[in-house]
């Protein structure tokens, strides 16, 4: 009876895809009234978070009224 010889095959190490942490902050009617936007408002905690984050410089309102604008954020 012949024995089968097992050979080791090279396999690529499996890597898990990098997961991103996403913090989605929405503030109704805030406008760019934050220190990070060169405003005179003192907002040290939000400014510290914004310095290490992605900041949108060009944002637009989805609707001219509050309720439809708020509800469109998550759609």
């Amino acid at each position: 009876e012949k024995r089968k010889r097992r050979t080791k095959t090279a396999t690529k190490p499996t890597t898990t895809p990098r997961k991103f942490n996403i913090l989605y902050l929405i503030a109704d009617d805030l406008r760019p009234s934050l220190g990070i936007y060169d405003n005179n408002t003192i907002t040290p905690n939000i400014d510290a978070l914004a310095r290490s984050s992605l900041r949108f410089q060009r944002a637009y309102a989805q609707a001219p009224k509050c309720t439809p604008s708020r509800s469109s954020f998550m759609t």
Side-chain angles (χ1 to χ4, degrees), residues 1-42:
E1 176 177 322
K2 290 184 179 179
R3 290 188 178 180
K4 289 186 178 181
R5 189 173 189 185
R6 291 186 180 187
T7 58
K8 292 185 178 182
T9 57
T11 59
K12 290 183 179 180
T14 57
T15 57
T16 55
R18 184 175 174 198
K19 294 182 180 179
F20 293 98
N21 293 323
I22 297 174
L23 177 62
Y24 187 56
L25 295 175
I26 299 172
D28 185 31
D29 203 22
L30 180 63
R31 297 184 280 303
S33 299
L34 299 170
I36 197 71
Y37 290 110
D38 296 328
N39 194 306
N40 291 332
T41 308
I42 300 171

